[in-house]
């Protein structure tokens, strides 16, 4: 317990030697107790209130409690396992770090919450998967960035909303597909 609370570096050999006594006195001094090196009820109670045992092995809420970065450190899949909201809580960048598919898995709104660039970073198909309004919300350039068919896929009104040149850029057959007045509206040809 002295090692965990004070980083004492004592050998864990069950011997209450002079070094252990010295660290006990130091602990007692730091906590306003009688500094006599004897672990009485008040010293033990003070230690119990500060000592939080850390079970060994990979993080799991059954042994470590609900994931809390204050107790378990910044989320790291090497220590805490592949991100899972049932184990680690609903994804939150302030708790689990900036969204990264290598750390948190391929973006999925059921795991990571409704797409939000503040949480998940600027939309990119590499990080968040092929643009899909069911996952990423109705296309909005303020959320998903300026429309780009390489990022958001070939323009389609079901995915990207009714064609609007101020949102999707001036009509371009390569970007927006063959002209269809029902989708793109009438275009003045000069």
């Amino acid at each position: 317990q002295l090692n965990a609370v004070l980083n004492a570096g004592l050998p864990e050999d069950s011997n209450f030697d002079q070094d252990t006594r010295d660290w006990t006195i130091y602990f007692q001094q730091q906590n306003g107790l009688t500094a006599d090196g004897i672990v009485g009820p008040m010293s033990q109670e003070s230690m119990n209130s500060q000592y939080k045992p850390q079970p060994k092995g990979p993080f799991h809420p059954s042994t470590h409690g609900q994931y809390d970065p204050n107790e378990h450190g910044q989320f790291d899949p090497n220590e805490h396992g592949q991100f899972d909201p049932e184990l680690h809580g609903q994804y939150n960048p302030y708790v689990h770090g900036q969204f990264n598919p290598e750390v948190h898995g391929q973006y999925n709104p059921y795991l990571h919450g409704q797409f939000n660039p503040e949480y998940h970073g600027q939309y990119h198909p590499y990080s968040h998967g092929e643009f899909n309004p069911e996952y990423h919300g109705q296309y909005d350039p303020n959320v998903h960035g300026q429309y780009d068919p390489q990022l958001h896929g070939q323009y389609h009104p079901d995915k990207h909303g009714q064609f609007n040149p101020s949102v999707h850029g001036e009509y371009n057959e390569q970007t927006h597909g063959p002209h269809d007045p029902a989708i793109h509206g009438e275009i003045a040809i000069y």
Side-chain angles (χ1 to χ4, degrees), residues 124-168:
H124 193 281
Y126 169 75
S127 300
H128 307 108
E130 183 178 332
F131 180 77
N132 181 332
E134 289 182 30
Y135 276 22
H136 306 107
Q138 190 61 39
Y139 173 76
D140 178 345
N142 297 318
V143 174
H144 305 106
Q146 187 59 40
Y147 174 75
D148 178 341
Q150 293 194 347
L151 293 180
H152 306 106
Q154 186 68 31
Y155 170 78
H156 192 282
D158 291 342
K159 282 187 174 183
H160 306 106
Q162 187 60 36
F163 180 76
N164 179 337
S166 65
V167 172
H168 305 106

Side-chain angles (χ1 to χ4, degrees), residues 43-159:
S43 294
Q44 189 61 58
E45 183 179 323
S46 182
M47 177 58 79
N48 290 344
S49 71
Q50 296 177 53
Y51 175 67
K52 293 181 175 45
Q54 295 296 318
K56 305 293 186 211
F59 172 83
H60 194 279
S62 65
T63 52
H64 298 91
Q66 187 63 31
Y67 173 77
D68 178 348
N70 297 320
E71 289 187 32
H72 305 113
Q74 186 66 25
F75 178 78
D76 179 345
N78 295 323
E79 290 182 29
H80 305 113
Q82 187 65 28
F83 175 77
D84 179 342
E86 289 186 26
L87 299 180
H88 307 108
Q90 187 63 35
Y91 171 77
N92 181 327
Y94 304 109
V95 174
H96 305 108
Q98 186 62 33
F99 179 78
N100 178 337
E102 293 176 12
V103 173
H104 305 106
Q106 188 64 33
Y107 171 76
N108 181 327
Y110 304 110
L111 297 179
H112 306 108
Q114 186 62 34
F115 179 77
N116 180 329
E118 285 185 42
Y119 279 20
H120 306 108
Q122 190 63 33
Y123 170 78
H124 193 281
Y126 169 75
S127 300
H128 307 108
E130 183 178 332
F131 180 77
N132 181 332
E134 289 182 30
Y135 276 22
H136 306 107
Q138 190 61 39
Y139 173 76
D140 178 345
N142 297 318
V143 174
H144 305 106
Q146 187 59 40
Y147 174 75
D148 178 341
Q150 293 194 347
L151 293 180
H152 306 106
Q154 186 68 31
Y155 170 78
H156 192 282
D158 291 342
K159 282 187 174 183

